[in-house]
Amino acid sequence: MTPSGTHAGPHAGRGDADDLDVEEALALVRAPKSDRTDRADRSDGAERAGGAGRSDRADQTARTAPAHPHPHATPWPEARELAARAARRATRRPNASVALADALGLVLAAPLDALSDLPSFDTSAMDGWAVAGPGPWRVRDGGVLAGHALPEPLTDGEAVRIATGARVPTGVTAVLRSEHGRTGPQDRLHAMGETSHGQDIRPRGQECRRGDQLLPTGTLVTPAVLGLAAAAGYDTLTVVPRPRAEVLVLGDELLTEGLPHDGLIRDALGPMLAPWLRALGAEVIAVRRVGDDAKALRRAITTSRADLIVTTGGTAAGPVDHVHPTLERIGAELLVDGVAVRPGHPMLLARTKADQHLVGLPGNPLAAVSGLLTLAEPLLRALAAHPAPEPYRMPLREAVQGPAHDTRLVPVVLRGERAVPLHYSGPAMLRGIATADALAVVPPGGAAQGAEMELLDLPWDTAGIGVCFT
Protein backbone atom coordinates (compact mmCIF):
# COMPACT_ATOMS: atom_id res chain seq x y z
CA MET A 1 0.00 0.00 0.00
CA THR A 2 1.15 3.53 -0.70
CA PRO A 3 2.27 5.49 2.39
CA SER A 4 -0.01 8.40 3.18
CA GLY A 5 0.40 12.02 4.26
CA THR A 6 -1.10 13.55 7.32
CA HIS A 7 -2.07 17.15 6.67
CA ALA A 8 -2.76 19.70 3.97
CA GLY A 9 -4.50 23.05 3.86
CA PRO A 10 -6.12 24.88 0.97
CA HIS A 11 -2.72 26.19 -0.14
CA ALA A 12 -0.82 22.89 -0.27
CA GLY A 13 1.46 23.25 2.73
CA ARG A 14 4.21 20.94 3.92
CA GLY A 15 1.82 17.97 4.24
CA ASP A 16 1.28 17.94 0.47
CA ALA A 17 4.99 18.28 -0.18
CA ASP A 18 5.70 15.16 1.89
CA ASP A 19 3.11 13.17 -0.07
CA LEU A 20 4.52 14.35 -3.38
CA ASP A 21 7.99 13.17 -2.36
CA VAL A 22 6.74 9.69 -1.50
CA GLU A 23 4.85 9.27 -4.78
CA GLU A 24 7.73 10.66 -6.83
CA ALA A 25 10.16 8.26 -5.16
CA LEU A 26 7.88 5.33 -5.92
CA ALA A 27 7.55 6.47 -9.53
CA LEU A 28 11.33 6.57 -9.86
CA VAL A 29 11.64 3.10 -8.31
CA ARG A 30 9.20 1.73 -10.89
CA ALA A 31 11.01 3.39 -13.82
CA PRO A 32 13.42 1.16 -15.77
CA LYS A 33 17.05 1.56 -14.72
CA SER A 34 17.98 2.95 -18.14
CA ASP A 35 15.35 5.69 -17.75
CA ARG A 36 16.67 6.67 -14.34
CA THR A 37 20.26 6.69 -15.64
CA ASP A 38 19.26 8.77 -18.65
CA ARG A 39 17.53 11.28 -16.40
CA ALA A 40 20.55 11.52 -14.13
CA ASP A 41 22.85 11.92 -17.16
CA ARG A 42 20.64 14.66 -18.58
CA SER A 43 20.62 16.41 -15.21
CA ASP A 44 24.40 16.18 -14.91
CA GLY A 45 24.85 17.42 -18.47
CA ALA A 46 22.55 20.35 -17.82
CA GLU A 47 24.55 21.33 -14.75
CA ARG A 48 27.84 21.14 -16.69
CA ALA A 49 26.35 23.20 -19.52
CA GLY A 50 25.07 25.75 -17.01
CA GLY A 51 28.52 26.10 -15.49
CA ALA A 52 29.90 26.93 -18.93
CA GLY A 53 28.16 30.27 -19.20
CA ARG A 54 24.54 30.42 -18.01
CA SER A 55 23.58 33.39 -15.86
CA ASP A 56 22.98 33.06 -12.12
CA ARG A 57 19.26 33.59 -12.83
CA ALA A 58 19.22 30.64 -15.21
CA ASP A 59 21.02 28.49 -12.63
CA GLN A 60 18.42 29.40 -10.05
CA THR A 61 15.60 28.58 -12.46
CA ALA A 62 17.11 25.17 -13.14
CA ARG A 63 17.31 24.46 -9.42
CA THR A 64 13.74 25.58 -8.66
CA ALA A 65 12.12 23.90 -11.68
CA PRO A 66 13.50 20.35 -11.77
CA ALA A 67 12.69 17.85 -14.49
CA HIS A 68 9.39 16.06 -14.07
CA PRO A 69 9.94 13.20 -11.57
CA HIS A 70 7.71 10.88 -13.65
CA PRO A 71 8.05 12.08 -17.25
CA HIS A 72 6.04 9.18 -18.67
CA ALA A 73 2.91 10.06 -16.70
CA THR A 74 -0.08 10.85 -18.89
CA PRO A 75 -1.30 14.46 -18.70
CA TRP A 76 -4.59 14.69 -16.80
CA PRO A 77 -6.83 15.86 -19.70
CA GLU A 78 -5.36 13.22 -21.99
CA ALA A 79 -5.91 10.48 -19.40
CA ARG A 80 -9.62 11.32 -19.22
CA GLU A 81 -9.92 11.24 -23.00
CA LEU A 82 -8.04 7.93 -23.19
CA ALA A 83 -10.48 6.41 -20.69
CA ALA A 84 -13.51 7.55 -22.69
CA ARG A 85 -11.94 6.37 -25.96
CA ALA A 86 -11.15 2.95 -24.48
CA ALA A 87 -14.80 2.47 -23.57
CA ARG A 88 -16.00 3.52 -27.02
CA ARG A 89 -13.69 0.90 -28.57
CA ALA A 90 -14.71 -1.88 -26.19
CA THR A 91 -16.98 -4.75 -27.22
CA ARG A 92 -20.42 -3.67 -26.06
CA ARG A 93 -23.06 -5.76 -24.37
CA PRO A 94 -26.30 -6.04 -26.37
CA ASN A 95 -28.93 -3.38 -25.86
CA ALA A 96 -31.55 -4.24 -23.25
CA SER A 97 -35.30 -3.95 -23.00
CA VAL A 98 -36.20 -2.78 -19.49
CA ALA A 99 -39.37 -1.79 -17.70
CA LEU A 100 -40.02 1.93 -17.37
CA ALA A 101 -39.38 1.72 -13.63
CA ASP A 102 -35.83 0.45 -14.30
CA ALA A 103 -34.87 2.85 -17.11
CA LEU A 104 -34.14 6.03 -15.16
CA GLY A 105 -30.62 7.33 -15.87
CA LEU A 106 -30.06 5.04 -18.86
CA VAL A 107 -29.76 6.10 -22.51
CA LEU A 108 -32.21 5.22 -25.28
CA ALA A 109 -30.73 2.70 -27.70
CA ALA A 110 -33.62 3.14 -30.14
CA PRO A 111 -35.80 6.13 -31.06
CA LEU A 112 -38.94 6.71 -29.03
CA ASP A 113 -41.67 6.73 -31.70
CA ALA A 114 -45.28 7.53 -30.94
CA LEU A 115 -47.37 4.35 -30.72
CA SER A 116 -50.60 6.33 -31.09
CA ASP A 117 -51.87 9.86 -31.57
CA LEU A 118 -51.47 12.12 -28.53
CA PRO A 119 -54.04 12.77 -27.36
CA SER A 120 -55.75 9.79 -28.92
CA PHE A 121 -59.13 11.58 -28.97
CA ASP A 122 -60.45 15.11 -28.56
CA THR A 123 -60.33 15.92 -24.84
CA SER A 124 -61.41 18.75 -22.60
CA ALA A 125 -58.55 20.92 -21.37
CA MET A 126 -60.63 22.36 -18.50
CA ASP A 127 -63.44 21.67 -16.08
CA GLY A 128 -66.60 23.39 -17.30
CA TRP A 129 -69.27 22.82 -19.93
CA ALA A 130 -69.04 21.28 -23.38
CA VAL A 131 -71.20 23.51 -25.59
CA ALA A 132 -72.55 23.16 -29.14
CA GLY A 133 -73.20 26.19 -31.33
CA PRO A 134 -73.85 29.70 -30.07
CA GLY A 135 -75.29 30.39 -26.60
CA PRO A 136 -77.18 30.62 -24.43
CA TRP A 137 -77.38 26.83 -24.05
CA ARG A 138 -79.76 24.42 -22.45
CA VAL A 139 -77.85 22.32 -19.91
CA ARG A 140 -78.37 18.60 -20.29
CA ASP A 141 -78.63 16.45 -17.16
CA GLY A 142 -75.62 14.42 -16.07
CA GLY A 143 -72.03 15.05 -17.04
CA VAL A 144 -69.02 13.72 -18.94
CA LEU A 145 -66.14 12.34 -16.89
CA ALA A 146 -62.61 11.25 -17.82
CA GLY A 147 -62.19 7.56 -18.51
CA HIS A 148 -65.80 6.95 -19.58
CA ALA A 149 -67.10 5.77 -22.93
CA LEU A 150 -67.99 8.18 -25.74
CA PRO A 151 -70.90 10.31 -24.50
CA GLU A 152 -74.06 11.11 -26.43
CA PRO A 153 -73.64 13.76 -29.17
CA LEU A 154 -74.76 17.35 -28.59
CA THR A 155 -76.90 19.41 -30.90
CA ASP A 156 -76.69 23.18 -31.34
CA GLY A 157 -77.93 25.02 -28.28
CA GLU A 158 -77.03 22.19 -25.87
CA ALA A 159 -74.40 22.01 -23.13
CA VAL A 160 -73.26 19.37 -20.68
CA ARG A 161 -70.94 19.42 -17.68
CA ILE A 162 -67.45 18.06 -18.54
CA ALA A 163 -64.29 17.27 -16.55
CA THR A 164 -60.68 17.90 -17.54
CA GLY A 165 -59.39 15.03 -19.66
CA ALA A 166 -62.84 13.74 -20.56
CA ARG A 167 -63.65 12.75 -24.11
CA VAL A 168 -65.44 15.56 -25.94
CA PRO A 169 -68.88 14.54 -27.30
CA THR A 170 -69.56 14.73 -31.02
CA GLY A 171 -71.01 18.09 -32.07
CA VAL A 172 -69.21 20.11 -29.38
CA THR A 173 -67.75 23.41 -30.65
CA ALA A 174 -66.01 24.62 -27.49
CA VAL A 175 -65.49 24.05 -23.77
CA LEU A 176 -66.63 26.89 -21.54
CA ARG A 177 -64.60 27.05 -18.34
CA SER A 178 -66.52 26.88 -15.07
CA GLU A 179 -65.45 30.42 -14.12
CA HIS A 180 -66.51 31.80 -17.51
CA GLY A 181 -70.17 30.67 -17.38
CA ARG A 182 -73.26 31.09 -15.25
CA THR A 183 -76.59 29.33 -15.20
CA GLY A 184 -79.88 31.20 -15.16
CA PRO A 185 -83.58 30.36 -15.12
CA GLN A 186 -84.74 27.20 -16.95
CA ASP A 187 -81.18 25.78 -16.65
CA ARG A 188 -79.91 28.12 -19.32
CA LEU A 189 -76.12 28.58 -19.51
CA HIS A 190 -74.76 32.01 -20.38
CA ALA A 191 -71.15 32.84 -21.33
CA MET A 192 -69.53 35.71 -19.44
CA GLY A 193 -67.45 36.64 -22.47
CA GLU A 194 -66.89 35.64 -26.06
CA THR A 195 -66.51 31.96 -26.89
CA SER A 196 -64.33 30.92 -29.84
CA HIS A 197 -64.55 27.71 -31.86
CA GLY A 198 -62.35 24.94 -30.39
CA GLN A 199 -61.74 26.86 -27.19
CA ASP A 200 -60.16 24.69 -24.41
CA ILE A 201 -60.35 21.51 -26.49
CA ARG A 202 -57.21 19.46 -27.03
CA PRO A 203 -57.72 17.99 -30.49
CA ARG A 204 -56.66 14.47 -31.32
CA GLY A 205 -52.98 14.36 -32.38
CA GLN A 206 -52.21 17.86 -31.07
CA GLU A 207 -48.90 16.69 -29.56
CA CYS A 208 -48.00 13.99 -32.07
CA ARG A 209 -49.32 11.54 -34.62
CA ARG A 210 -48.70 7.82 -34.54
CA GLY A 211 -45.21 7.07 -35.91
CA ASP A 212 -43.79 10.52 -35.13
CA GLN A 213 -40.33 10.40 -33.54
CA LEU A 214 -40.67 11.80 -30.04
CA LEU A 215 -37.04 11.36 -28.93
CA PRO A 216 -33.91 10.20 -30.80
CA THR A 217 -31.48 7.42 -29.93
CA GLY A 218 -28.99 8.63 -27.33
CA THR A 219 -31.52 10.54 -25.22
CA LEU A 220 -30.94 10.29 -21.48
CA VAL A 221 -33.95 8.81 -19.67
CA THR A 222 -35.05 11.41 -17.13
CA PRO A 223 -38.29 11.43 -15.12
CA ALA A 224 -39.88 13.56 -17.87
CA VAL A 225 -38.84 11.02 -20.52
CA LEU A 226 -40.48 8.27 -18.47
CA GLY A 227 -43.67 10.30 -18.36
CA LEU A 228 -43.64 10.89 -22.12
CA ALA A 229 -42.96 7.21 -22.81
CA ALA A 230 -45.85 6.17 -20.59
CA ALA A 231 -48.18 8.68 -22.24
CA ALA A 232 -47.13 7.33 -25.63
CA GLY A 233 -48.07 3.80 -24.60
CA TYR A 234 -44.69 2.23 -23.73
CA ASP A 235 -44.29 -0.42 -21.05
CA THR A 236 -40.58 -1.04 -21.75
CA LEU A 237 -37.72 0.92 -23.31
CA THR A 238 -34.75 -0.24 -25.37
CA VAL A 239 -31.67 1.16 -23.64
CA VAL A 240 -27.90 0.90 -23.41
CA PRO A 241 -27.37 -1.41 -20.42
CA ARG A 242 -25.95 -0.04 -17.22
CA PRO A 243 -22.19 -0.83 -16.97
CA ARG A 244 -21.37 -3.51 -14.42
CA ALA A 245 -18.62 -2.70 -11.91
CA GLU A 246 -16.81 -4.80 -9.33
CA VAL A 247 -14.64 -3.45 -6.52
CA LEU A 248 -11.59 -5.37 -5.27
CA VAL A 249 -10.33 -4.01 -1.94
CA LEU A 250 -6.64 -4.81 -1.47
CA GLY A 251 -4.60 -4.64 1.73
CA ASP A 252 -4.09 -6.87 4.77
CA GLU A 253 -4.02 -3.86 7.09
CA LEU A 254 -7.69 -2.96 6.61
CA LEU A 255 -10.41 -3.35 9.24
CA THR A 256 -14.11 -3.50 8.37
CA GLU A 257 -15.33 -2.42 11.81
CA GLY A 258 -14.20 -0.94 15.09
CA LEU A 259 -11.35 1.40 15.91
CA PRO A 260 -7.85 1.23 14.38
CA HIS A 261 -5.39 -0.77 16.49
CA ASP A 262 -2.05 -2.57 16.32
CA GLY A 263 -1.08 -1.09 12.95
CA LEU A 264 -4.48 -1.85 11.41
CA ILE A 265 -6.64 0.91 9.93
CA ARG A 266 -10.28 1.20 8.94
CA ASP A 267 -11.10 0.60 5.29
CA ALA A 268 -12.51 3.89 3.98
CA LEU A 269 -12.66 2.89 0.30
CA GLY A 270 -14.82 -0.22 0.58
CA PRO A 271 -17.84 1.65 1.98
CA MET A 272 -17.26 4.64 -0.32
CA LEU A 273 -16.61 3.18 -3.76
CA ALA A 274 -19.75 1.12 -4.34
CA PRO A 275 -22.22 4.00 -3.80
CA TRP A 276 -19.92 6.38 -5.65
CA LEU A 277 -19.85 4.06 -8.66
CA ARG A 278 -23.63 3.73 -8.50
CA ALA A 279 -23.88 7.52 -8.49
CA LEU A 280 -21.77 7.45 -11.65
CA GLY A 281 -24.33 5.16 -13.27
CA ALA A 282 -22.79 1.73 -12.70
CA GLU A 283 -24.42 -1.45 -11.46
CA VAL A 284 -22.08 -2.67 -8.71
CA ILE A 285 -22.22 -6.46 -8.82
CA ALA A 286 -19.75 -7.14 -5.97
CA VAL A 287 -17.34 -5.64 -3.45
CA ARG A 288 -14.67 -8.23 -2.62
CA ARG A 289 -11.85 -8.07 -0.09
CA VAL A 290 -8.77 -9.66 -1.57
CA GLY A 291 -5.97 -8.55 0.76
CA ASP A 292 -2.32 -8.56 -0.29
CA ASP A 293 -2.43 -11.86 -2.13
CA ALA A 294 -1.17 -12.00 -5.73
CA LYS A 295 -2.84 -15.34 -6.53
CA ALA A 296 -6.16 -14.23 -5.09
CA LEU A 297 -5.95 -10.96 -7.03
CA ARG A 298 -5.28 -12.80 -10.29
CA ARG A 299 -8.17 -15.18 -9.65
CA ALA A 300 -10.52 -12.29 -8.82
CA ILE A 301 -9.63 -10.39 -12.00
CA THR A 302 -9.79 -13.33 -14.38
CA THR A 303 -13.13 -14.59 -13.05
CA SER A 304 -14.89 -11.21 -12.88
CA ARG A 305 -17.99 -10.67 -15.06
CA ALA A 306 -17.80 -6.89 -14.68
CA ASP A 307 -17.32 -4.40 -17.48
CA LEU A 308 -15.13 -2.40 -15.08
CA ILE A 309 -12.99 -3.77 -12.27
CA VAL A 310 -11.85 -1.21 -9.70
CA THR A 311 -8.95 -2.07 -7.41
CA THR A 312 -7.81 -0.10 -4.36
CA GLY A 313 -4.13 0.34 -3.58
CA GLY A 314 -1.30 -1.85 -4.81
CA THR A 315 -0.55 0.33 -7.85
CA ALA A 316 2.92 1.48 -6.77
CA ALA A 317 6.09 -0.65 -6.42
CA GLY A 318 6.06 -1.84 -2.82
CA PRO A 319 6.67 -5.45 -1.76
CA VAL A 320 2.92 -6.24 -1.68
CA ASP A 321 1.81 -4.03 -4.59
CA HIS A 322 0.62 -6.79 -6.90
CA VAL A 323 -1.51 -4.93 -9.46
CA HIS A 324 1.16 -4.28 -12.11
CA PRO A 325 2.72 -7.77 -11.97
CA THR A 326 -0.72 -9.39 -12.09
CA LEU A 327 -1.79 -7.36 -15.12
CA GLU A 328 1.44 -8.30 -16.86
CA ARG A 329 0.95 -12.01 -16.13
CA ILE A 330 -2.58 -12.10 -17.56
CA GLY A 331 -1.54 -10.20 -20.69
CA ALA A 332 -3.53 -7.04 -19.97
CA GLU A 333 -2.82 -3.93 -22.04
CA LEU A 334 -1.80 -0.89 -19.97
CA LEU A 335 -3.51 2.16 -21.46
CA VAL A 336 -2.65 4.64 -18.71
CA ASP A 337 0.19 3.99 -16.25
CA GLY A 338 0.40 7.02 -13.97
CA VAL A 339 -1.25 10.39 -14.45
CA ALA A 340 0.27 13.82 -13.96
CA VAL A 341 -2.24 14.79 -11.28
CA ARG A 342 -2.18 15.40 -7.52
CA PRO A 343 -3.38 13.62 -5.56
CA GLY A 344 -3.48 10.23 -7.24
CA HIS A 345 -0.50 10.00 -9.58
CA PRO A 346 -0.04 6.19 -9.35
CA MET A 347 -3.44 5.36 -10.88
CA LEU A 348 -3.75 3.15 -13.93
CA LEU A 349 -6.14 1.97 -16.63
CA ALA A 350 -5.79 -1.42 -18.32
CA ARG A 351 -7.73 -3.41 -20.89
CA THR A 352 -8.03 -6.92 -19.45
CA LYS A 353 -10.38 -8.29 -22.14
CA ALA A 354 -12.06 -6.95 -25.26
CA ASP A 355 -15.12 -6.17 -23.13
CA GLN A 356 -13.48 -5.44 -19.79
CA HIS A 357 -11.26 -2.75 -18.26
CA LEU A 358 -9.56 -2.29 -14.91
CA VAL A 359 -9.00 0.99 -13.10
CA GLY A 360 -6.35 0.77 -10.40
CA LEU A 361 -6.86 3.39 -7.72
CA PRO A 362 -4.19 4.53 -5.25
CA GLY A 363 -4.70 3.43 -1.67
CA ASN A 364 -4.96 6.93 -0.19
CA PRO A 365 -8.66 7.91 0.01
CA LEU A 366 -8.59 11.33 -1.69
CA ALA A 367 -6.10 10.01 -4.25
CA ALA A 368 -8.61 7.24 -4.97
CA VAL A 369 -11.34 9.85 -5.51
CA SER A 370 -9.03 11.56 -7.97
CA GLY A 371 -8.65 8.25 -9.81
CA LEU A 372 -12.40 7.74 -9.90
CA LEU A 373 -13.03 11.12 -11.50
CA THR A 374 -10.01 10.92 -13.80
CA LEU A 375 -10.39 7.39 -15.21
CA ALA A 376 -13.54 5.61 -13.96
CA GLU A 377 -16.03 8.44 -14.58
CA PRO A 378 -15.25 9.04 -18.28
CA LEU A 379 -15.00 5.30 -18.93
CA LEU A 380 -18.37 4.56 -17.30
CA ARG A 381 -19.94 7.54 -19.04
CA ALA A 382 -18.81 6.30 -22.45
CA LEU A 383 -19.85 2.71 -21.71
CA ALA A 384 -23.34 3.99 -20.85
CA ALA A 385 -23.36 6.26 -23.97
CA HIS A 386 -23.88 9.35 -21.82
CA PRO A 387 -22.79 12.64 -23.37
CA ALA A 388 -19.92 14.45 -21.72
CA PRO A 389 -21.11 17.23 -19.39
CA GLU A 390 -20.59 20.78 -20.54
CA PRO A 391 -17.52 22.14 -18.73
CA TYR A 392 -17.97 25.21 -16.59
CA ARG A 393 -15.63 27.48 -14.66
CA MET A 394 -15.74 29.66 -11.56
CA PRO A 395 -13.19 32.03 -10.02
CA LEU A 396 -11.30 30.99 -6.91
CA ARG A 397 -11.86 32.97 -3.73
CA GLU A 398 -8.31 32.14 -2.60
CA ALA A 399 -5.05 31.34 -4.33
CA VAL A 400 -4.12 27.65 -4.62
CA GLN A 401 -0.56 26.43 -4.89
CA GLY A 402 0.23 23.41 -7.01
CA PRO A 403 3.11 21.22 -8.19
CA ALA A 404 5.16 22.54 -11.10
CA HIS A 405 4.25 19.79 -13.56
CA ASP A 406 0.98 18.25 -12.43
CA THR A 407 -2.68 19.18 -12.44
CA ARG A 408 -4.09 19.41 -8.93
CA LEU A 409 -7.66 18.48 -7.96
CA VAL A 410 -8.81 20.53 -4.98
CA PRO A 411 -12.13 20.08 -3.11
CA VAL A 412 -14.13 23.31 -3.09
CA VAL A 413 -17.46 24.63 -1.89
CA LEU A 414 -19.43 27.06 -4.05
CA ARG A 415 -20.32 30.33 -2.36
CA GLY A 416 -22.13 32.80 -4.57
CA GLU A 417 -20.07 33.17 -7.71
CA ARG A 418 -16.82 31.87 -6.16
CA ALA A 419 -15.21 28.49 -5.50
CA VAL A 420 -13.72 28.30 -2.01
CA PRO A 421 -10.82 25.81 -1.58
CA LEU A 422 -11.22 23.53 1.41
CA HIS A 423 -8.72 22.50 4.07
CA TYR A 424 -7.89 18.85 4.74
CA SER A 425 -7.19 18.12 1.09
CA GLY A 426 -4.16 15.85 1.51
CA PRO A 427 -4.11 12.54 -0.40
CA ALA A 428 -5.02 10.51 2.70
CA MET A 429 -7.84 12.82 3.81
CA LEU A 430 -11.59 12.69 3.21
CA ARG A 431 -12.61 15.50 5.55
CA GLY A 432 -12.46 18.09 2.78
CA ILE A 433 -14.20 16.12 0.03
CA ALA A 434 -16.95 15.08 2.47
CA THR A 435 -18.19 18.68 2.58
CA ALA A 436 -17.29 19.66 -1.00
CA ASP A 437 -19.60 20.66 -3.83
CA ALA A 438 -17.01 20.02 -6.56
CA LEU A 439 -13.33 19.59 -7.36
CA ALA A 440 -11.43 22.48 -8.91
CA VAL A 441 -9.03 21.52 -11.70
CA VAL A 442 -5.93 23.59 -10.90
CA PRO A 443 -3.31 23.66 -13.67
CA PRO A 444 0.39 22.94 -13.05
CA GLY A 445 2.01 25.70 -11.03
CA GLY A 446 -1.16 26.61 -9.11
CA ALA A 447 -3.66 29.43 -9.56
CA ALA A 448 -4.02 32.96 -8.27
CA GLN A 449 -6.96 34.36 -6.35
CA GLY A 450 -9.75 35.18 -8.81
CA ALA A 451 -8.48 32.83 -11.51
CA GLU A 452 -11.28 30.91 -13.20
CA MET A 453 -10.96 27.14 -12.75
CA GLU A 454 -12.78 24.27 -14.42
CA LEU A 455 -14.99 22.47 -11.89
CA LEU A 456 -15.89 18.79 -11.70
CA ASP A 457 -19.28 18.31 -10.07
CA LEU A 458 -19.65 15.49 -7.60
CA PRO A 459 -22.32 13.12 -8.97
CA TRP A 460 -24.77 13.58 -6.10
CA ASP A 461 -24.40 17.36 -6.11
CA THR A 462 -26.30 17.67 -9.43
CA ALA A 463 -28.50 14.62 -9.56
CA GLY A 464 -29.05 13.17 -6.13
CA ILE A 465 -27.71 10.02 -4.52
CA GLY A 466 -28.16 6.91 -6.63
CA VAL A 467 -28.08 8.15 -10.22
CA CYS A 468 -26.08 10.60 -12.26
CA PHE A 469 -27.63 12.33 -15.27
CA THR A 470 -24.39 13.90 -16.51
Side-chain angles (χ1 to χ4, degrees), residues 246-333:
E246 181 169 6
V247 179
L248 305 180
V249 181
L250 313 183
D252 290 338
E253 76 279 22
L254 302 176
L255 295 169
T256 59
E257 59 184 13
L259 294 174
H261 61 87
D262 301 326
L264 303 177
I265 61 172
R266 279 297 297 268
D267 170 28
L269 296 182
M272 179 175 73
L273 290 181
W276 200 309
L277 289 166
R278 291 189 191 101
L280 290 175
E283 174 194 352
V284 179
I285 60 175
V287 177
R288 289 199 269 173
R289 300 184 183 278
V290 178
D292 292 321
D293 185 327
K295 290 182 179 179
L297 176 60
R298 179 174 181 172
R299 185 165 54 250
I301 293 174
T302 55
T303 59
S304 175
R305 300 180 297 105
D307 304 300
L308 171 64
I309 301 170
V310 177
T311 63
T312 69
T315 56
V320 291
D321 288 338
H322 300 303
V323 175
H324 280 93
T326 300
L327 292 175
E328 185 175 352
R329 289 190 191 101
I330 67 174
E333 179 186 1

Side-chain angles (χ1 to χ4, degrees), residues 324-350:
H324 280 93
T326 300
L327 292 175
E328 185 175 352
R329 289 190 191 101
I330 67 174
E333 179 186 1
L334 267 179
L335 304 176
V336 175
D337 190 10
V339 178
V341 66
R342 300 294 180 184
H345 155 67
M347 64 179 75
L348 63 85
L349 169 65

Side-chain angles (χ1 to χ4, degrees), residues 65-443:
H68 200 295
H70 37 87
H72 302 297
T74 304
W76 182 80
E78 183 181 336
R80 284 173 58 81
E81 177 52 37
L82 283 171
R85 194 183 311 154
R88 289 192 289 267
R89 292 177 177 175
T91 302
R92 294 291 190 91
R93 283 194 289 147
N95 296 330
S97 178
V98 302
L100 294 186
D102 299 323
L104 184 66
L106 301 180
V107 168
L108 293 181
L112 189 75
D113 295 335
L115 301 180
S116 68
D117 298 343
L118 279 181
S120 55
F121 46 80
D122 293 351
T123 63
S124 175
M126 293 287 171
D127 293 332
W129 294 271
V131 299
W137 303 271
R138 179 179 60 82
V139 179
R140 180 190 293 179
D141 291 339
V144 183
L145 302 177
H148 287 231
L150 180 65
E152 292 292 323
L154 293 185
T155 59
D156 281 358
E158 286 189 312
V160 66
R161 274 283 185 183
I162 194 167
T164 301
R167 194 168 183 175
V168 173
T170 303
V172 169
T173 54
V175 169
L176 183 66
R177 301 185 187 189
S178 296
E179 61 269 27
H180 292 169
R182 60 178 178 82
T183 55
Q186 290 106 32
D187 289 328
R188 305 293 283 185
L189 172 66
H190 299 266
M192 299 169 62
E194 293 193 13
T195 303
S196 59
H197 193 278
Q199 174 180 299
D200 287 327
I201 293 175
R202 292 188 62 211
R204 176 176 181 168
Q206 181 185 50
E207 187 167 2
C208 65
R209 289 291 184 180
R210 180 179 179 180
D212 286 352
Q213 185 180 109
L214 303 177
L215 296 170
T217 299
T219 299
L220 183 68
V221 179
T222 63
V225 170
L226 292 176
L228 176 60
Y234 283 84
D235 299 317
T236 62
L237 293 175
T238 302
V239 295
V240 177
R242 199 179 301 279
R244 297 170 300 190
E246 181 169 6
V247 179
L248 305 180
V249 181
L250 313 183
D252 290 338
E253 76 279 22
L254 302 176
L255 295 169
T256 59
E257 59 184 13
L259 294 174
H261 61 87
D262 301 326
L264 303 177
I265 61 172
R266 279 297 297 268
D267 170 28
L269 296 182
M272 179 175 73
L273 290 181
W276 200 309
L277 289 166
R278 291 189 191 101
L280 290 175
E283 174 194 352
V284 179
I285 60 175
V287 177
R288 289 199 269 173
R289 300 184 183 278
V290 178
D292 292 321
D293 185 327
K295 290 182 179 179
L297 176 60
R298 179 174 181 172
R299 185 165 54 250
I301 293 174
T302 55
T303 59
S304 175
R305 300 180 297 105
D307 304 300
L308 171 64
I309 301 170
V310 177
T311 63
T312 69
T315 56
V320 291
D321 288 338
H322 300 303
V323 175
H324 280 93
T326 300
L327 292 175
E328 185 175 352
R329 289 190 191 101
I330 67 174
E333 179 186 1
L334 267 179
L335 304 176
V336 175
D337 190 10
V339 178
V341 66
R342 300 294 180 184
H345 155 67
M347 64 179 75
L348 63 85
L349 169 65
R351 180 183 290 113
T352 52
K353 301 174 187 175
D355 60 351
Q356 185 183 75
H357 290 82
L358 181 145
V359 168
L361 302 178
N364 278 328
L366 189 58
V369 169
S370 174
L372 273 180
L373 296 179
T374 300
L375 297 176
E377 186 274 335
L379 187 135
L380 287 171
R381 173 171 24 90
L383 284 176
H386 285 195
E390 287 294 324
Y392 74 103
R393 306 173 74 86
M394 288 183 69
L396 293 171
R397 197 170 77 178
E398 303 169 12
V400 175
Q401 294 182 4
H405 304 284
D406 294 347
T407 299
R408 186 180 175 204
L409 301 182
V410 179
V412 295
V413 290
L414 308 183
R415 295 291 181 264
E417 298 300 318
R418 298 265 173 169
V420 183
L422 291 167
H423 294 264
Y424 304 104
S425 58
M429 299 179 180
L430 288 174
R431 188 171 170 182
I433 192 70
T435 57
D437 298 318
L439 287 173
V441 182
V442 179

